[in-house]
Amino acid sequence: MTRKILGNTNHHRSRPAIIALAALLAIFIAAPQFLADEPYARSREYDLQHSKIALRFDLDQKIILGEVTHSLSIFRDGTTKIAFDSVGLTIQSVTVNKAPAKFETTADKLIVPLPAAAKAGDKFDVSIRYAGKPSKGIYFILPDKDYPDRPKQIWTQGESEDTRYYLPTYDYPNARLTTETILTVPATWITVSNGKLMSVSDAGKGLKTWYWKESVPSSTYLITVVAGEFDEVKDTWRGIPVTYYAPKGRGDRLSINFRRTPAMMELFSHKFGVDYAWEKYAQVMVDEFVAGGMENSSATTNTSSSLVHPKLAPEYFTGQDDLISHELGHQWFGDLVTTKDWGNIWLNEGFATFLETIWTEAQFGKDQADYERWNGSREWFGSSNLWDKPIVRHDFDDSSEFDGNAYGKGGWVLYMLRHQIGEDAFYRGVKHYLEVNRGKNVVTSDLAKAIDEATHTNVDQFFSQWVYGAGAPKFELSYTYDNEKHQVILAVKQTQKIEGRVGLFRVPVEVEITTASGPKLYNITVSKDKQTFPLPAESAPMMVLFDKGGHVLKSAEFHKEKKEWLYQLKNAADLADRADAAVALGKMKNDDEAVAALGETLRNDKAWGVRATAADTLGKLDGASASKLLLAALDSNDKPWVRSRAVSALGNFKDDAGVAAKLNSVAKQDDSYRARAAALQALGSVKAPNAFATLDAAVAGDSPDGFLRNAALRSFGSLGDDKAVPLLLQWSAAGKPIDSRTAAINSLARLQKDNQDITKRIAAYLAEPHFPVRMAAIHALGARGDATAIPALEALLKSDDLSIEMAPMIKAQIARLQNPAGGKPGAHPGSGDAGEESAQAGDEKFTTEPRLEKLEHLLQEMNERLKSLEKRLPPPKQ
Ligand SMILES: [Zn+2]
C-alpha cells in the first residue's frame, strides 16, 4: 500500500502541514510498545480455496449484513474444528455442508466444531451469516448535517489484519483463494470488487445486486469492496478493462490524473516478461481513505486526494504517477506473488517503490529518476529510527514493519541490485522469480534463489548486508595526487559504527577521475574500514567522483577543496554529483563564490532537481547576496516545481524588505498556484509586516479546491498574530471544507495558547466522524500545551468510537500535556514533544519539497499503520 498523509487530504504537498505532521510522526515513533501484526506466518489447519461473500448495508446504522460461504480443504488428519479470524462480528448462524452447525466465538475467533474428526483432504463448505458495525476494515463515508452533499461511499481496507473486522475468514497472507463478491446496494450506486463483473441485477425495493468473480487466487488482505455514488471513466489495455472511479461530481478529474495507467501496464508487463495477470484493472478513489493507496487484487483503492484539480495538476511534474505506478506494481509484487509473512513485507513494498522508479525513468527520464533516488537516500539517512533495523525482521513489536526500510530502503536495494548485476540479468532474475512463485507466497530467499537460478549470480553476500543486515556505509573520503607516479591516492574509510546488525560493507564503487584530458572511470570494491586505492591519473585531477552518479545507498563526507566542488557543480555529468556539490557548497557560510555558483546553478542547470536543490541551499545561506539570487530567479519564470521551491527558500530571510515585498506580490499574483501558496506560507515564516492583510485576502479569495485559502490558513500559525484567531475559528468549524478545517486547526494549535476557549472549541471537534479533523484536533490539543484538554482526550480514548487508529496518537498527546517539560522517557532523538515549533525551528531539516513528499509518504504509512496500532491498545505505539 502507499502511505497517506495524516489529517490533510488534499494539499498534501504543502509544507507547513507536513511540518506539523512530521511532528506527529515523530510522536508516533517515540511512543512505546504496541501489539504487532503476527510476524511469522501461521501453521495452517486448512486450505481456504474459495469464498463467496454476500454483503448488504444498513446505511442509517452503518451496519453490514453478511453471508459468506467458505470452501476449504482440511490439511491434517483428526481435525475437529475450524477457526476463522473474526473480530466484533455477531455470528447469527453457521452451516457445515448445508447442515446447521454449532459454533463458538472468542474475542478474535469464530470456531466451528466439525461433526466428526476430519481427514486430510476432506472438503467442507462452511456458510456463516453475520452482522456487524465494524470499527475498522470497512468504512462508511456518508453525508451528514454538516456535509449534506458528499457522495455516499463504503469502502474496505484489509491490510494488514483488518479484513476480519468485516468478514470472518482466514486472515493472514499465507493463504490464497478465489472469490465471488455479491453486493446489494441502492440502484443508483456503483460497486467495485475483485475480478470480473459478471452481472448487475435488479434486487427490488430500489436495490441492485452486483456480482463480481475473481478467478485468480490471492490473499484475504487483498479482498476489496467499494460501493457508493461514483463517476466512472473507462479505458482499456490489450483488451482488458481499465476503469477509474471518482466520488460523484469529480469524474472530470480522472483522466488528467490517471490516463497513463495503460502505458504503465504495458511497461511493467514488458519489463518483467510477465503480463498483467488479472481480469481487469480498476482504480477507485475514495474520500477519507486511511491509506494513500491499496493494491487490492485487480481493484486498487486510492485516496481521493489523488484527484488533483485540473488547474493544479499541470503544476506537478510527475503528477500522481508515483502512487499509480506503486499500486500497479503491487499487482505483480504483492498480489500475484505475495509475501508469506509481515516480516518479509519488503518483497511487496520494496518492489512497489522500486517500480515507481522504473516508471519514472521510462516516462520522465534519467534525471528525474536520479533525483528521486538522491532524495530517497537523504530521507532514509534522515530517519534515524531505521538505521539499526534490517529490512527483513520479525521483531517489530515496538514499531511497524511497514517502515522506511520496507519501502525506501527496499526500493533502493533493488535499484542497487539492478545496477550491480546489470539490467539484463536483473530482469531475467525477476521474471524467473515471478514465474516460479506465481500464485504463491514467498520469503526473501525465494528471490535470491530465483536470481541465482536464472542468472547464475550469487547474491547471498549482497542480501546478507543489505537485506538481513542493517544500516548502510558511511564514507569519509579524501585523496592526494602523486606527481611522480601519476596516481590519485584515494583514501576511503567506513565510519559507521559497527554494532548490532550493522557491519562493514562490501560494495563495488565507480570512481571517476577527470583530468585535463577528460574523465576516466575505475571500478573498485570497498570492503574494509580503511583502504587506499591508487588510481592512474596523467595529471592532477580537476574532479574525483566517488560512486559517480550515486548508485550506492551511502552517506559520504568527501574532503575536497572549494574549487573542486565548484567544478563539480558545474561540470559533473550526473545529477547526483551536481546535487551533492550544491549541498557541500551550501555548508560554506559567507562565501560569495559559493553563493554565486549556486545562483548560476539555480538559473542554468539542465536538471530541475539540481536547480531546486540550489534554491533550497541558497535559502539556508544567510546574506543579501543569496536572497538577491533567489529573487532574481523568480523573474526567470522557471517551472512551478522549481519556482515554488525558490519562493519557499525566501521564507528563510527575515527582516528583508525586498523579500517581503516580492513574497507579497507573488502571493497575490502569479501564474503558478504552487508558487502563490509557497509565498503565502513564506510570508508567515518571515512574519512580513504586510502578511496579515495578504493572508486575510487569500482566505477570502477563490482558487481551485481552496488551494490558496488553505495555504493562508496554515500560514497564520507561523505568522503568530493572534488577530487571526476569529478567522481560524470560523474556518475550523463544521461545514467548512475538511482541508480548510485541518489547516485552520493546525494554526490554532499555535495561537493564544493560554486561551481555554480555543482549547474547548478544538476539543469539541474530537467528537466528529471526520478522520482528518479528529486527527488534527488531537494533535492541536497536544501542541497547545493546555492541560485542560486532558479529560476530553481521555474520554475519547475510552469511547468505543475510536473508529480509526487514533488511540496511540491520543495517548501520546495526553503524555505530552501531562509532561509539558518534554523529554518523554525513551523518546528518540528529534521526536516527540517537539511539536510543530521545533519542527519549524529545525526548518532546514524539512526544507526540500521532495523531502517533504517523502515524509508525506512516510506519514501516509504511519496513518495506515495506526490502524493496526489501535488493536494493540492498551500500550500506545509507533
Ligand atoms: Zn505499497
Side-chain angles (χ1 to χ4, degrees):
M1 79 193 110
T2 300
R3 304 150 290 184
K4 175 179 164 50
I5 191 168
L6 283 161
N8 179 15
T9 53
N10 221 345
H11 304 303
H12 50 295
R13 286 178 179 82
S14 78
R15 165 182 183 195
I18 303 228
I19 287 168
L21 291 165
L24 289 190
L25 170 61
I27 287 161
F28 299 148
I29 288 169
Q33 77 200 70
F34 66 108
L35 292 169
D37 289 334
E38 273 183 87
Y40 291 100
R42 300 173 184 173
S43 301
R44 294 191 291 155
E45 307 285 327
Y46 58 87
D47 184 26
L48 178 55
Q49 293 163 339
H50 183 78
S51 295
K52 184 171 182 177
I53 305 155
L55 289 176
R56 291 170 176 260
F57 309 95
D58 178 336
L59 298 183
D60 293 334
Q61 304 291 320
K62 299 189 178 178
I63 282 173
I64 57 164
L65 303 166
E67 177 164 8
V68 58
T69 301
H70 295 305
S71 303
L72 53 86
S73 165
I74 298 294
F75 276 135
R76 296 160 203 271
D77 287 342
T79 299
T80 57
K81 59 184 190 316
I82 297 166
F84 299 100
D85 298 289
S86 172
V87 185
L89 298 170
T90 304
I91 309 298
Q92 295 162 333
S93 64
V94 175
T95 65
V96 175
N97 293 341
K98 300 202 170 153
K102 293 193 172 125
F103 62 91
E104 52 193 89
T105 57
T106 68
D108 57 1
K109 300 279 182 207
L110 162 65
I111 298 157
V112 180
L114 294 173
K119 292 202 295 288
D122 284 356
K123 291 185 185 304
F124 294 94
D125 283 343
V126 181
S127 291
I128 306 159
R129 288 175 63 91
Y130 64 98
K133 187 171 183 171
S135 59
K136 56 169 79 171
I138 191 164
Y139 301 81
F140 290 72
I141 309 298
L142 300 173
D144 58 24
K145 68 174 171 34
D146 298 320
Y147 301 91
D149 299 326
R150 78 175 358 186
K152 296 178 181 128
Q153 297 154 65
I154 297 171
W155 45 261
T156 60
Q157 169 61 28
E159 195 176 27
S160 50
E161 299 184 347
D162 288 353
T163 302
R164 63 192 69 170
Y165 286 79
Y166 75 93
L167 177 71
T169 187
Y170 180 91
D171 197 13
Y172 201 84
N174 67 330
R176 311 178 74 83
L177 67 158
T178 51
T179 55
E180 291 163 272
T181 317
I182 298 152
L183 304 169
T184 300
V185 299
T188 55
W189 285 22
I190 280 177
T191 77
V192 181
S193 187
N194 311 86
K196 197 169 171 182
L197 179 61
M198 307 303 287
S199 66
V200 182
S201 57
D202 193 358
K205 296 182 184 169
L207 300 173
K208 281 187 178 166
T209 296
W210 294 61
Y211 174 30
W212 296 89
K213 189 169 183 185
E214 175 60 77
S215 60
V216 183
S218 65
S219 301
T220 44
Y221 77 88
L222 296 167
I223 292 173
T224 181
V225 171
V226 182
E229 297 168 326
F230 289 96
D231 291 335
E232 178 182 16
V233 167
K234 291 182 178 170
D235 203 341
T236 63
W237 171 78
R238 295 196 198 169
I240 293 173
V242 176
T243 48
Y244 318 110
Y245 304 86
K248 203 153 193 61
R250 278 169 273 171
D252 61 337
R253 301 179 177 205
L254 287 166
S255 289
I256 191 168
N257 289 295
F258 287 85
R259 64 179 184 273
R260 290 190 285 266
T261 302
M264 289 179 200
M265 296 171 79
E266 184 61 36
L267 179 76
F268 290 170
S269 296
H270 174 73
K271 283 270 182 198
F272 310 147
V274 172
D275 286 346
Y276 178 81
W278 311 87
E279 292 129 323
K280 62 129 196 291
Y281 189 51
Q283 291 170 90
V284 198
M285 277 46 83
V286 301
D287 289 327
E288 300 202 11
F289 194 45
V290 290
M294 179 63 215
E295 66 272 18
N296 306 303
S297 32
S298 81
T300 286
T301 309
N302 288 320
T303 167
S304 60
S305 64
S306 61
L307 295 166
V308 178
H309 191 289
K311 285 189 174 160
L312 297 172
E315 293 204 24
Y316 296 92
F317 183 57
T318 59
Q320 300 302 302
D321 287 13
D322 282 359
L323 173 68
I324 300 167
S325 57
H326 180 107
E327 304 307 335
L328 176 65
H330 272 311
Q331 299 295 325
W332 285 262
F333 302 92
D335 298 2
L336 193 61
V337 174
T338 308
T339 184
K340 179 179 170 185
D341 63 33
W342 301 124
N344 283 278
I345 190 63
W346 87 287
L347 293 173
N348 293 8
E349 299 302 346
F351 264 106
T353 305
F354 172 67
L355 294 180
E356 297 174 35
T357 310
I358 298 312
W359 170 253
T360 293
E361 275 177 358
Q363 178 68 20
F364 302 104
K366 177 180 182 297
D367 277 349
Q368 182 64 21
D370 283 0
Y371 184 49
E372 291 178 7
R373 198 173 70 253
W374 184 79
N375 273 314
S377 164
R378 285 158 59 86
E379 189 227 331
W380 184 82
F381 274 96
S383 310
S384 56
N385 60 312
L386 301 173
W387 174 258
D388 59 357
K389 298 180 181 74
I391 289 179
V392 173
R393 66 191 178 104
H394 293 85
D395 58 344
F396 39 81
D397 47 336
D398 63 347
S399 59
S400 169
E401 71 275 24
F402 288 79
D403 63 11
N405 285 328
Y407 286 79
K409 189 181 181 187
W412 240 106
V413 163
L414 291 167
Y415 172 84
M416 282 194 287
L417 184 62
R418 188 187 71 172
H419 187 75
Q420 289 183 23
I421 71 176
E423 177 121 355
D424 175 62
F426 177 81
Y427 283 113
R428 267 189 291 132
V430 165
K431 179 173 195 277
H432 187 58
Y433 169 73
L434 286 172
E435 283 173 342
V436 297
N437 296 298
R438 184 181 184 120
K440 293 183 185 162
N441 292 80
V442 284
V443 292
T444 299
S445 57
D446 292 314
L447 176 60
K449 186 176 171 206
I451 292 166
D452 197 339
E453 284 176 355
T455 70
H456 310 291
T457 308
N458 186 334
V459 293
D460 293 349
Q461 189 270 332
F462 178 93
F463 274 54
S464 176
Q465 67 184 12
W466 288 113
V467 180
Y468 301 111
K474 293 183 178 176
F475 293 113
E476 191 181 334
L477 308 159
S478 59
Y479 71 88
T480 54
Y481 183 66
D482 185 329
N483 257 318
E484 289 175 7
K485 293 186 180 157
H486 296 281
Q487 282 179 336
V488 164
I489 312 296
L490 176 66
V492 180
K493 284 187 207 164
Q494 292 193 49
T495 62
Q496 71 274 14
K497 194 167 181 200
I498 309 302
E499 65 179 348
R501 304 289 284 272
V502 181
L504 280 174
F505 279 75
R506 179 183 182 85
V507 281
V509 174
E510 292 154 298
V511 177
E512 186 186 79
I513 297 175
T514 302
T515 62
S517 53
K520 286 219 170 91
L521 197 62
Y522 301 96
N523 292 304
I524 64 172
T525 297
V526 180
S527 59
K528 305 196 172 108
D529 59 344
K530 265 189 202 173
Q531 279 170 287
T532 54
F533 297 90
L535 301 164
E538 289 165 17
S539 54
M542 278 122 57
M543 177 169 71
V544 175
L545 298 174
F546 178 85
D547 183 27
K548 174 189 186 287
H551 302 293
V552 176
L553 179 64
K554 67 177 191 308
S555 71
E557 188 175 352
F558 203 146
H559 301 289
K560 291 184 182 182
E561 287 181 23
K562 182 174 74 178
K563 70 171 186 206
E564 185 173 340
W565 287 121
L566 292 169
Y567 183 90
Q568 181 171 331
L569 180 67
K570 199 166 173 173
N571 299 294
D574 290 302
L575 176 143
D577 299 312
R578 299 201 301 281
D580 279 344
V583 170
L585 289 165
K587 290 177 183 154
M588 299 175 186
K589 303 282 178 193
N590 303 315
D591 187 310
D592 291 343
E593 216 178 348
V595 169
L598 289 164
E600 195 193 326
T601 297
L602 171 57
R603 285 191 304 276
N604 296 327
D605 197 281
K606 71 186 175 70
W608 79 264
V610 179
R611 298 200 299 279
T613 301
D616 299 343
T617 308
L618 285 168
K620 286 179 215 158
L621 289 166
D622 294 331
S625 51
S627 63
K628 237 179 235 145
L629 288 167
L630 286 164
L631 287 169
L634 293 183
D635 295 330
S636 78
N637 211 19
D638 204 334
K639 302 290 188 193
W641 35 93
V642 180
R643 187 171 181 76
S644 57
R645 290 268 284 274
V647 172
S648 290
L650 285 170
N652 294 312
F653 296 89
K654 295 199 164 106
D655 306 319
D656 182 325
V659 166
K662 185 68 180 179
L663 289 174
N664 207 37
S665 108
V666 172
K668 286 178 175 166
Q669 179 57 51
D670 198 88
D671 288 344
S672 161
Y673 286 110
R674 287 181 73 187
R676 292 180 68 184
L680 288 164
Q681 181 56 44
L683 279 171
S685 303
V686 303
K687 302 186 194 296
N690 45 9
F692 190 93
T694 303
L695 296 180
D696 195 36
V699 171
D702 224 356
S703 57
D705 285 346
F707 189 73
L708 299 178
R709 169 179 305 129
N710 299 342
L713 288 169
R714 276 189 296 271
S715 185
F716 276 124
S718 314
L719 184 61
D721 184 339
D722 289 342
K723 274 205 316 265
V725 166
L727 188 66
L728 293 171
L729 285 172
Q730 182 196 331
W731 281 94
S732 71
K736 295 291 188 189
I738 300 286
D739 292 340
S740 301
R741 299 184 65 192
T742 56
I745 291 169
N746 285 338
S747 283
L748 281 172
R750 304 170 63 185
L751 297 179
Q752 284 186 0
K753 289 191 170 188
D754 53 355
N755 182 338
Q756 297 186 356
D757 289 339
I758 297 177
T759 304
K760 264 187 219 147
R761 277 285 291 272
I762 297 174
Y765 301 146
L766 296 175
E768 288 192 30
H770 309 290
F771 176 69
V773 173
R774 284 180 128 184
M775 290 300 266
I778 293 165
H779 178 251
L781 290 175
R784 286 181 64 75
D786 179 349
T788 63
I790 293 175
L793 288 167
E794 282 178 339
L796 181 62
L797 197 55
K798 288 193 190 103
S799 74
D800 60 356
D801 179 34
L802 279 192
S803 49
I804 2 202
E805 55 261 10
M806 287 175 218
M809 165 81 165
I810 299 168
K811 293 193 164 198
Q813 302 305 317
I814 292 174
R816 200 173 165 190
L817 292 172
Q818 284 168 337
N819 182 15
K824 235 180 354 219
H828 296 223
S831 77
D833 304 321
E836 79 278 33
E837 292 84 358
S838 85
Q840 197 79 15
D843 219 17
E844 64 271 350
K845 210 178 151 195
F846 300 110
T847 298
T848 69
E849 184 166 352
R851 184 169 163 76
L852 291 180
E853 290 181 10
K854 292 297 179 185
L855 189 53
E856 168 200 33
H857 274 231
L858 197 54
L859 282 161
Q860 289 176 339
E861 178 51 36
M862 292 300 120
N863 190 4
E864 181 45 39
R865 303 322 307 158
L866 281 175
K867 190 168 19 143
S868 334
L869 312 184
E870 180 193 349
K871 64 177 150 263
R872 313 164 175 171
L873 294 182
K877 91 48 143 185
Q878 137 107 289

